[in-house]
């Protein structure tokens, strides 16, 4: 499978339907997203299958901290374009033949992320309810 076009993102670049973005600076460097960041790379794919593959591959690589060893910079860490391409060149031949298995793992991770979000919301609601009850007692 050929690598998609990966370029530095510029604010005046026209966004296209099969484009996603990869954060290039900070502790979250390598994180993919559907909305551009000021310090990011744009990835343009040829078709929906390629878009899905590369977006979820980048998501998996980010979650596996594959970009952490490549961070450089003493104040604001960053990865460069060649780092992204090198990681993809190393990973695509391994993952692409097992794409269906990888998709199952990513779906499971997505469900876990949704559960984590739900639990976080429940914790926040519980804390707010506790504060409300305590304030009610002390305001009487």
């Amino acid at each position: 499978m050929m690598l998609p076009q990966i370029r530095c993102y510029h604010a005046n670049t026209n966004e296209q339907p099969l484009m996603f973005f990869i954060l290039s600076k900070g502790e979250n460097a390598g994180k993919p997203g559907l909305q551009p960041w000021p310090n990011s790379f744009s990835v343009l794919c040829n078709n929906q299958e390629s878009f899905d593959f590369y977006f979820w591959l980048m998501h998996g690589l980010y979650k596996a901290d594959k970009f952490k060893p490549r961070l450089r910079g003493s104040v604001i860490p960053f990865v460069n374009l060649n780092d992204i391409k090198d990681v993809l060149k190393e990973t695509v031949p391994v993952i692409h033949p097992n794409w269906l298995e990888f998709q199952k793992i990513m779906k499971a991770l997505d469900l876990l992320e949704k559960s984590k979000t739900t639990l976080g919301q429940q914790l926040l609601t519980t804390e707010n309810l506790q504060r409300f009850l305590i304030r009610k007692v002390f305001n009487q």
Side-chain angles (χ1 to χ4, degrees):
M1 180 169 242
M2 289 182 51
L3 290 179
Q5 285 185 351
I6 305 173
R7 298 181 178 163
C8 292
Y9 171 72
H10 299 286
N12 58 0
T13 303
N14 293 331
E15 293 180 35
Q16 298 182 10
L18 298 175
M19 181 181 280
F20 68 93
F21 305 92
I22 302 169
L23 187 60
S24 64
K25 288 189 176 180
E27 291 297 320
N28 289 324
K31 180 179 183 178
L34 299 175
Q35 299 298 320
W37 292 284
N39 298 308
S40 64
F41 302 115
S42 61
V43 181
L44 180 62
C45 299
N46 295 333
N47 53 43
Q48 188 64 44
E49 180 185 346
S50 177
F51 176 85
D52 292 341
F53 175 75
Y54 282 106
F55 181 82
W56 288 109
L57 177 62
M58 288 302 301
H59 180 73
L61 291 170
Y62 167 72
K63 288 292 188 178
D65 291 332
K66 290 295 185 179
F67 298 103
K68 293 281 184 190
R70 296 175 184 263
L71 288 176
R72 59 179 65 104
S74 58
V75 177
I76 299 175
F78 67 94
V79 291
N80 64 27
L81 192 55
N82 286 331
D83 294 330
I84 300 290
K85 289 180 179 181
D86 289 345
V87 169
L88 285 175
K89 286 176 186 175
E90 293 169 7
T91 311
V92 168
V94 175
I95 298 296
H96 192 262
N98 303 317
W99 173 234
L100 293 176
E101 183 180 330
F102 182 72
Q103 280 181 311
K104 290 177 187 175
I105 292 169
M106 293 310 297
K107 284 180 184 177
L109 286 174
D110 189 41
L111 288 173
L112 288 171
E113 193 70 32
K114 287 177 183 175
S115 295
K116 190 168 83 172
T117 302
T118 302
L119 288 173
Q121 290 171 345
Q122 289 174 352
L123 285 171
L124 200 65
T125 303
T126 304
E127 285 179 25
N128 289 337
L129 184 57
Q130 287 174 336
R131 271 193 223 109
F132 172 76
L133 293 172
I134 289 173
R135 286 182 185 153
K136 187 177 179 183
V137 167
F138 288 112
N139 288 336
Q140 287 181 346

